[in-house]
Amino acid sequence: MTDTAVPGQFTLVLHSHLPWLSRHGRWPVGEEWLYQSWASSYLPVAQVLRNLAAEGRSHLLSLGITPVLAAQLDDPHCLAGMHHWLGNWRLRADEAAMAGNRALGHYEHRLATAALADFEQRWRHGGSPVWRELIDAEAIELLGGPLAHPFQPLLDSRLRSFELTEGLADARQRWGHTPSGIWAPECGFTPGMEATYAAAGVTHFMVDGPALRGDTTLGRPVRDSPVLAFGRDLQVSYRVWSPKSGYPGQPQYRDFHHYDHETGLKPARVTGKQVAGPDKAPYDPDLAATAVRRDVEDFVRTVRERLIGESARIGRPALVVAAFDTELFGHWWHEGPQWLEQVLRALPEAGVTVGTLADARARGYVGEPVPLADSSWGSGKDWRVWAGEPVRDLVELNAEIVRLALDTLDKMRVQADGVRDPVADQLLREAILAVSSDWAFMVSKDSAAGYARDRAHQHAHAVREIAAAVTGGQLAKAGQLAAGWYAADGLFPALDARRLEGPV
């Protein structure tokens, strides 16, 4: 039975992103991270959206897919690696069963077999056909973003503009659709970026709730621009996932951190936050399924109450936006895709209007302009994760590398004859990889910090040696270096340095 309709609109936003991992290590950080997220999140989340679309449901959520992730989901090397990984997953499940853990082994075997069939049927030619089917069916609104996920507030304005316009063009190339909305990397913002967005054709973007002083009930034009900032409702979002609580930490759900080291499988449920890994209870899918139903009911109740309360507070129908990393659903929270599918069915049945950010804009969920200030969705909601003392060296490295790359490209421009130059293209490609926001994030959070620093310095080294060859007049050497780096970092083959704005 449908509950009484409530005022306003609920919007779910998912942000899908991983840094460029192809050919840059395998384990414990590298391609394994990509394949785990692909198998655990991207495959099942796409299946959930297909299931709902097949029921005639549309405008389900706004899905951000960063260009650098999209590039990996289309990359032939990654596609082959993923197929191999899925086969290996099934073998590991069989090993668990033969080693005596029959319940775990059989459960994992079923999951791996289904994932392998799904991948072979739908994904072997890349992720683009999968996402395009959902975009064309209007099941989702696609959100785009800058090419390699830079922390934009700290980025040179020329490179910031280039990454954004090229990121939107990359989306059109893959999916036949240019996003009008974006997920700003790390929700990072500094005044003036709204003008860059407007110039690129972006009509709306995401910020975290505190950037709007917690009033996220309406999209807000930024200063005197037509570009809307939509804010994440922390009260609702933290119900699912927060630094200290949320559904995935409940005792019945699968424990993310505890592994069976022989097979790499996860045999336990959370059990209790103070319970050591070996002492945790075995995972029980039926027990977890019951918990999913409980938490779906809780979330629907939370959204209804929030919409009713906020609509009454502002005197008009309110917007509630919950936003999460896509990788939460399946990778971090094993039961997340189940919960997602049930929630997207249950909300309309409970009288909640579900729509995308574009729907909110079209339906007039727009308030007064806001003088948006420096902000992010990181710790402290400021820039400390990407600009704080622990990553001061990376901030300085980024500034040096961007300056070197742009200066070298400007000199090459003087000598250019109008023909596309693969050396210039690779120089620019390595520079944007060097300034990915992921490296500083991983260092600040002490998550594979050594790998992150190595990656930043590796791409910086590529820029330095290509630039040195160019400025030293060693053009043949520069060509050889560029070709060598392209073999590892050949993402965005359409990237063309000639489209970079010249110096002001």
Side-chain angles (χ1 to χ4, degrees):
M1 179 179 294
T2 301
D3 288 11
T4 305
V6 299
Q9 175 184 307
F10 171 75
T11 295
L12 179 63
V13 182
L14 300 183
H15 172 55
S16 318
H17 170 66
L18 290 175
W20 180 248
L21 301 167
S22 176
R23 300 176 179 84
H24 285 282
R26 186 66 184 261
W27 175 267
V29 186
E31 290 181 19
E32 180 76 13
W33 184 9
L34 170 66
Y35 302 143
Q36 286 183 359
S37 299
W38 202 336
S40 301
S41 292
Y42 310 140
L43 286 173
V45 167
Q47 183 63 60
V48 163
L49 294 170
R50 280 197 301 273
N51 292 344
L52 295 169
E55 297 170 4
R57 301 174 189 267
S58 61
H59 299 241
L60 296 165
L61 50 80
S62 296
L63 178 66
I65 305 174
T66 62
V68 69
L69 174 61
Q72 293 174 94
L73 301 183
D74 284 342
D75 183 72
H77 171 82
C78 295
L79 289 165
M82 178 61 179
H83 192 235
H84 181 273
W85 191 94
L86 290 170
N88 182 260
W89 177 17
R90 191 160 63 178
L91 289 175
R92 290 186 287 119
D94 294 342
E95 288 174 4
M98 289 187 291
N101 198 334
R102 294 177 60 84
L104 175 66
H106 291 169
Y107 176 72
E108 289 285 328
H109 182 93
R110 289 194 298 273
L111 289 180
T113 298
L116 194 56
D118 183 22
F119 183 81
E120 290 180 342
Q121 180 182 356
R122 296 182 178 276
W123 292 78
R124 285 305 299 274
H125 297 292
S128 287
V130 176
W131 305 122
R132 181 161 187 170
E133 178 185 6
L134 294 167
I135 296 165
D136 290 347
E138 296 187 7
I140 60 173
E141 174 200 10
L142 173 71
L143 300 181
L147 279 176
H149 212 258
F151 189 71
Q152 295 180 107
L154 297 176
L155 196 59
D156 178 276
S157 60
R158 290 171 64 195
L159 198 54
R160 181 197 300 167
S161 177
F162 178 83
E163 285 218 47
L164 178 61
T165 56
E166 292 295 305
L168 298 175
D170 184 79
R172 182 161 195 83
Q173 188 177 49
R174 293 183 196 279
W175 302 308
H177 174 80
T178 303
S180 58
I182 68 166
W183 182 284
E186 318 295 5
C187 293
F189 182 83
T190 195
M193 281 173 50
E194 72 277 7
T196 303
Y197 290 162
V202 171
T203 60
H204 53 281
F205 67 103
M206 281 293 301
V207 297
D208 209 0
L212 297 179
R213 296 177 175 81
D215 191 353
T216 58
T217 52
L218 298 168
R220 306 290 292 277
V222 181
R223 293 184 170 78
D224 58 356
S225 81
V227 182
L228 301 184
F230 286 106
R232 182 173 67 138
D233 185 312
L234 296 188
Q235 180 172 315
V236 173
S237 297
Y238 280 0
R239 193 75 179 177
V240 179
W241 185 245
S242 76
K244 298 181 180 179
S245 63
Y247 304 141
Q250 297 302 309
Q252 302 84 1
Y253 290 133
R254 194 171 200 174
D255 188 274
F256 173 81
H257 298 285
H258 180 57
Y259 282 88
D260 168 46
H261 291 287
E262 294 298 317
T263 61
L265 304 177
K266 299 173 184 176
R269 57 187 174 94
V270 173
T271 310
K273 293 181 179 179
Q274 306 305 318
V275 180
D279 300 328
K280 291 179 182 291
Y283 180 65
D284 183 340
D286 293 333
L287 195 64
T290 300
V292 168
R293 291 190 291 272
R294 175 199 67 204
D295 291 336
V296 166
E297 292 177 1
D298 178 79
F299 187 76
V300 170
R301 182 168 54 251
T302 298
V303 170
R304 279 180 55 90
E305 292 173 355
R306 185 67 166 165
L307 281 170
I308 291 168
E310 289 297 87
S311 295
R313 182 179 67 82
I314 67 173
R316 59 182 284 192
L319 175 69
V320 168
V321 179
F324 311 97
D325 287 331
T326 304
E327 295 77 24
L328 169 63
F329 297 92
H331 180 53
W332 296 101
W333 179 21
H334 177 67
E335 300 79 8
Q338 299 175 42
W339 180 90
L340 181 65
E341 185 163 357
Q342 292 181 37
V343 154
L344 289 173
R345 287 198 183 99
L347 285 166
E349 293 172 359
V352 174
T353 297
V354 175
T356 65
L357 294 178
D359 292 331
R361 186 173 182 275
R363 292 168 180 167
Y365 289 96
V366 179
E368 295 301 312
V370 60
L372 197 61
D374 292 350
S375 54
S376 80
W377 79 335
S379 303
K381 309 306 178 184
D382 53 23
W383 297 354
R384 70 186 65 174
V385 172
W386 301 275
E389 198 56 40
V391 292
R392 177 60 52 193
D393 60 318
L394 292 183
V395 173
E396 293 172 356
L397 177 70
N398 288 350
E400 174 209 332
I401 291 305
V402 169
R403 185 167 57 250
L404 174 61
L406 294 179
D407 287 349
T408 305
L409 289 166
D410 290 341
K411 293 172 185 174
M412 295 176 73
R413 190 188 304 272
V414 174
Q415 304 163 10
D417 58 3
V419 177
R420 185 175 174 186
D421 186 345
V423 173
D425 294 346
Q426 193 61 30
L427 182 66
L428 186 52
R429 193 176 281 114
E430 295 294 343
I432 67 172
L433 287 170
V435 300
S436 166
S437 72
D438 299 275
W439 317 137
F441 178 88
M442 293 165 72
V443 171
S444 289
K445 297 297 183 180
D446 195 24
S447 173
Y451 176 87
R453 286 191 186 279
D454 287 347
R455 287 294 306 277
H457 282 280
Q458 184 178 30
H459 297 299
H461 172 69
V463 171
R464 288 184 181 123
E465 68 172 8
I466 294 172
V470 169
T471 55
Q474 299 173 294
L475 301 186
K477 180 181 179 181
Q480 292 170 352
L481 289 169
W485 283 108
Y486 185 79
D489 301 324
L491 72 170
F492 310 133
L495 182 147
D496 188 340
R498 294 175 299 179
R499 292 197 291 267
L500 178 71
E501 295 175 4
V504 178

